[in-house]
Amino acid sequence: MLYAVLCYNDEKAVSTWTKEEDAACMARLGKVQDELRDRGRLGPVVRLENTTEAKTLRKANGEHVVFDGPFAETKEQFLGFYVADVDTIDEAVEFAKKLSVANPGLGAYEIRPLRIYHPSALPNDTVIAEPAE
């Protein structure tokens, strides 16, 4: 079964991390990811840019309206997600627990079964690069 593990945290706190703190966190998360990756059970892993880079499309009276930002009414923002191919939701929860230990801050992880999953249409060797500084 495929599960989405959705990651939430306070992006204001995360954006104050130094490059070294961010790299250390990503290294810790990488070790957790390796457990599933080594078994061929980890799908896409996505880290989103800050909400200041986002747009929201809504329909109002049949017309499309585009807003800057996601306009989430929360203290925590959706920062990224994992697709985990595990047998039970309990295994997905255990994966999320390990991620939460590796990731500083309070944050939250939402675990949801995937109803539909289409593998990427990107060529297998496509790498989405880190943003330029």
Side-chain angles (χ1 to χ4, degrees):
M1 181 76 188
L2 294 176
Y3 293 90
V5 179
L6 310 176
C7 309
Y8 296 85
N9 209 330
D10 179 352
E11 80 177 8
K12 288 181 183 175
V14 172
S15 64
T16 65
W17 295 348
T18 65
K19 287 182 182 183
E20 293 79 15
E21 289 170 323
D22 189 72
C25 178
M26 297 312 292
R28 289 189 304 271
L29 291 171
K31 287 180 184 177
V32 175
Q33 295 165 28
D34 287 345
E35 293 177 29
L36 286 183
R37 183 181 296 111
D38 291 347
R39 296 184 357 226
R41 307 300 297 263
L42 184 65
V45 174
V46 176
R47 185 175 186 185
L48 300 175
E49 287 291 338
N50 285 346
T51 56
T52 56
E53 302 297 320
K55 301 280 186 195
T56 297
L57 175 94
R58 296 191 188 273
K59 281 179 69 174
N61 300 321
E63 298 292 322
H64 291 113
V65 181
V66 178
F67 300 94
D68 289 334
F71 291 104
E73 298 296 327
T74 64
K75 290 183 180 180
E76 299 167 339
Q77 289 74 40
F78 178 48
L79 299 184
F81 65 89
Y82 300 82
V83 175
D85 181 8
V86 294
D87 294 327
T88 67
I89 196 164
D90 292 332
E91 286 182 76
V93 169
E94 285 305 311
F95 176 60
K97 284 180 182 178
K98 291 176 183 177
L99 291 170
S100 73
V101 169
N103 196 356
L106 299 175
Y109 290 83
E110 180 179 345
I111 297 91
R112 297 179 63 176
L114 295 181
R115 183 175 297 181
I116 298 172
Y117 174 74
H118 296 287
S120 174
L122 297 172
N124 288 338
D125 60 352
T126 300
V127 175
I128 309 233
E130 292 286 324
E133 307 242 353

